[in-house]
Amino acid sequence: MREGHASRTAEQNALFRALESSRPRGERICDDPLARHFLTWPFTLVMRFAAIPGGAKFAASFIDRRWPGVRSSVVARTRWIDDAIAAAQDDVEQIVILGAGFDTRAYRMAVLRAVDVFEVDHPDTQVAKRRVLQRLFSEAPSHVRFVAVDFKRDDLIDGLRRAGYRDSARTFILWEGVTNYLTENAVDSTLRWCGRASAGSRLLFTYIHRDVLTRPSAFAGTKNLLASLDRAGERLTFGMDPSDVPRYLAARGLSLEQDVGAAEYRERYFGAAARTMRGHEFYRLAVAHVGTKHG
Ligand SMILES: C[S@@+](CC[C@H](N)C(=O)[O-])C[C@H]1O[C@@H](n2cnc3c(N)ncnc32)[C@H](O)[C@@H]1O
């Protein structure tokens, strides 16, 4: 991230969600009516263009040609995660959103209004988000607490406890779109913290296939993507080999339940159309629960 600036990739995700949400109601894979409020120039211009008849379709296909697979992957995983949270609602007492960016679930999902939501993020992104939220809501939603943390430097648990996080509550931890920008140490210590959450807690996180760091050309559509990430100051720095993930998590007190690549989570929502989508297959979504066979 560029110092003093909100995460550009967080804003890109908001753009993809805003574009999808501008499609006719019955055709939307995900629906995030707040996403557009977090956009700045030139993304605001994209949304203006999308409001012209045929504009949204054109904008989406332009993005898909230039950065293959990224938009459809974000859209499908947004919906996947919305559905996972909705399905877990009866088992959850609090939710922690790590690297929340412009995630609006706390404000748009009714099921989350009944639980404490802790939005953890880098101070530079969080300050920008809170400014927009202040404009959107005359009164700050009382179920949301903000915790400003740099995963590479700060103590996560201190910040969370100060904000009212309860160690004994069953927690849903969401860590979407972040591990790939961190150091190995930052991922390690955060996952160790996740592994110490109360019994019954779950973690849903994304990661990238490690090979994309060393052999990007082995994956479709990475050239423009890596150049854009470079310009945004948000280079890919950390990945894992899917075959290693169960062991890696177990060593940190977590059991892997599910691990799917973009091709699979796209297929769940785009159906047959997903088979023609290329790119971003290295971007994976994993679900784990706290506890291992060995306790
Ligand atoms: C791609 S965005 C993902 C945002 C959101 N979770 C989503 O899926 O739309 C990456 C997020 O990671 C956060 N981030 C990156 N490096 C971080 C760090 N060292 N400490 C805390 N947050 C960080 C950024 O502020 C940003 O919100």
Side-chain angles (χ1 to χ4, degrees), residues 1 7 9-10 13 17 77 99-101 121-122 125 149-152 176-178 181-182:
M1 286 175 55
S7 159
T9 56
N13 288 354
R17 293 173 185 136
R77 86 175 189 231
D121 208 348
H122 192 285
T125 307
V149 159
D150 182 338
F151 293 121
K152 293 183 186 164
E176 180 188 7
V178 190
Y181 301 114
L182 299 181

Side-chain angles (χ1 to χ4, degrees), residues 121-137:
D121 208 348
H122 192 285
D124 290 340
T125 307
Q126 196 166 76
V127 103
K129 180 178 201 174
R130 295 186 73 171
R131 218 176 285 135
V132 175
L133 290 172
Q134 259 164 19
R135 263 197 345 251
L136 288 176
F137 303 107

Side-chain angles (χ1 to χ4, degrees), residues 57-134:
K57 213 169 173 182
F58 182 86
S61 66
F62 175 80
I63 291 168
D64 294 347
R65 269 198 312 276
R66 198 154 162 70
W67 299 278
V70 184
R71 185 192 62 82
S72 54
S73 159
V74 169
V75 163
R77 86 175 189 231
T78 298
R79 172 68 181 280
W80 176 298
I81 295 169
D82 285 1
D83 287 354
I85 291 174
Q89 61 176 296
D90 294 336
D91 293 328
V92 173
E93 294 170 290
Q94 59 188 2
I95 167 158
V96 176
I97 307 182
L98 298 172
F102 303 124
D103 182 318
T104 63
R105 293 184 174 95
Y107 317 96
R108 66 177 167 80
M109 291 182 71
V111 297
L112 291 188
R113 288 195 202 117
V115 295
D116 290 328
V117 180
F118 297 89
E119 290 204 0
V120 179
D121 208 348
H122 192 285
D124 290 340
T125 307
Q126 196 166 76
V127 103
K129 180 178 201 174
R130 295 186 73 171
R131 218 176 285 135
V132 175
L133 290 172
Q134 259 164 19

Side-chain angles (χ1 to χ4, degrees), residues 93-94 115-116 118 160-161 164-171 198:
E93 294 170 290
Q94 59 188 2
V115 295
D116 290 328
F118 297 89
L160 276 170
R161 283 196 186 127
Y165 171 87
R166 288 168 294 141
D167 290 322
S168 58
R170 262 192 324 277
T171 308
S198 74

